[in-house]
Amino acid sequence: MKRVIAVGFIAIMLSSCATILGGKVTPSQKRKPAPGEQQRQVRVVALIADILLFAPGLIVDFATGAIYKPANND
């Protein structure tokens, strides 16, 4: 039972706010902007929550693209 709790706790710690609470990640969030294209906007609330709660979660959010706001044309 202790192992199950430990694994669950580690899984929660390794996840991040925008990945869990941000909803489905759209193709525009995953794609890097082309040269001359407008930069993607960051979800400020998720960024602050990641910094305050578990800073390594920022890596997960930026790697998955979940930290970025979805484009309006998706």
Side-chain angles (χ1 to χ4, degrees), residues 1-23:
M1 185 63 177
K2 288 181 182 180
R3 288 183 184 173
V4 172
I5 293 171
V7 169
F9 184 69
I10 290 171
I12 291 170
M13 296 269 310
L14 291 177
S15 55
S16 54
C17 293
T19 304
I20 294 172
L21 303 174

Side-chain angles (χ1 to χ4, degrees), residues 35-64:
E37 194 175 25
Q38 185 178 7
Q39 296 294 314
R40 299 174 285 183
Q41 294 181 348
V42 173
R43 295 179 178 179
V44 178
V45 174
L47 178 69
I48 293 170
D50 278 341
I51 291 170
L52 293 176
L53 298 175
F54 190 66
L58 283 170
I59 297 168
V60 176
D61 279 347
F62 279 104
T64 61

